Amino acid sequence: IGFSAHSEPMAIQMIQSGLVDTCMFPINFVSYHYGGVGQGVLDAAIAHGVGVIALKSGARGRLTTQSGDAVHVPQTFHHIPEWKRQEMIHYPVVTSPKYYTWYEPEDDPVELNKLVLWALNQKGVTAVLPPGTMDLLDRISDMVRGKSEVPVLSEEDVEGMKRRYE
């Protein structure tokens, strides 16, 4: 049994409950290094023996109303509570105009591979979900195909990533 969350405190609480075996959570280089998000989930997961599936591992940043396409919010939802509709109005949801993702994915194939490798190299991460489109998935599949172990990311690569995404 598992769950998906985007709130770190909520994810940690679920992991600590002892009721789950797997957690899907955004574990990506940019959020970790520049938003301080992810380490708490990884620490809790390791402590409680919960596997982590990294979401948004290929993210290079957050979409804004200037860089993404706004999602239409209808007057009423039949399956979503009113508080969520209001949240979508007051904190606009946007998608990538190119990839239809909820984040800005890296589309340079070499850099995308580094982002995915970074996520796979985090202690506690057992898998990553592929990016939201086949085009991006094709760019990372050759990196791990046929390998029995995840390639290690060099410190030089990590330092280069810090410069690229700051």
Side-chain angles (χ1 to χ4, degrees):
I1 296 176
F3 70 97
S4 174
H6 287 79
S7 160
E8 190 164 35
M10 185 59 67
I12 292 169
Q13 185 176 349
M14 286 292 295
I15 291 167
Q16 291 173 340
S17 75
L19 300 173
V20 298
D21 300 305
T22 306
C23 166
M24 293 193 307
F25 189 81
I27 300 291
N28 63 70
F29 184 85
V30 176
S31 293
Y32 184 93
H33 283 281
Y34 300 107
V37 176
Q39 190 61 58
V41 168
L42 294 173
D43 291 344
I46 292 165
H48 294 276
V50 171
V52 176
I53 299 171
L55 301 174
K56 301 178 177 139
S57 62
R60 67 170 288 130
R62 174 177 243 166
L63 290 168
T64 66
T65 53
Q66 289 77 35
S67 62
D69 291 338
V71 172
H72 170 71
V73 181
Q75 290 297 319
T76 60
F77 280 128
H78 297 289
H79 60 287
I80 295 177
E82 178 60 18
W83 67 264
K84 183 63 176 176
R85 191 180 81 78
Q86 289 299 319
E87 179 182 272
M88 292 173 71
I89 291 168
H90 297 293
Y91 302 96
V93 177
V94 295
T95 60
S96 165
K98 184 174 181 183
Y99 295 109
Y100 307 107
T101 56
W102 300 99
Y103 57 91
E104 183 181 358
E106 176 62 73
D107 53 9
D108 176 290
V110 172
E111 299 303 325
L112 177 61
N113 283 345
K114 289 177 187 176
L115 288 172
V116 172
L117 275 181
W118 181 88
L120 285 168
N121 275 273
Q122 299 313 295
K123 188 173 182 179
V125 170
T126 54
V128 298
L129 284 182
T133 70
M134 292 305 290
D135 181 45
L136 293 173
L137 175 59
D138 287 343
R139 295 177 188 186
I140 63 169
S141 61
D142 287 336
M143 173 183 61
V144 292
R145 184 176 287 123
K147 294 186 171 68
S148 60
E149 293 184 18
V150 175
V152 176
L153 199 59
S154 73
E155 274 303 312
E156 182 180 316
D157 283 333
V158 172
E159 291 306 312
M161 292 165 68
K162 286 179 182 176
R163 289 188 299 276
R164 180 178 177 85
Y165 300 112
E166 64 184 351

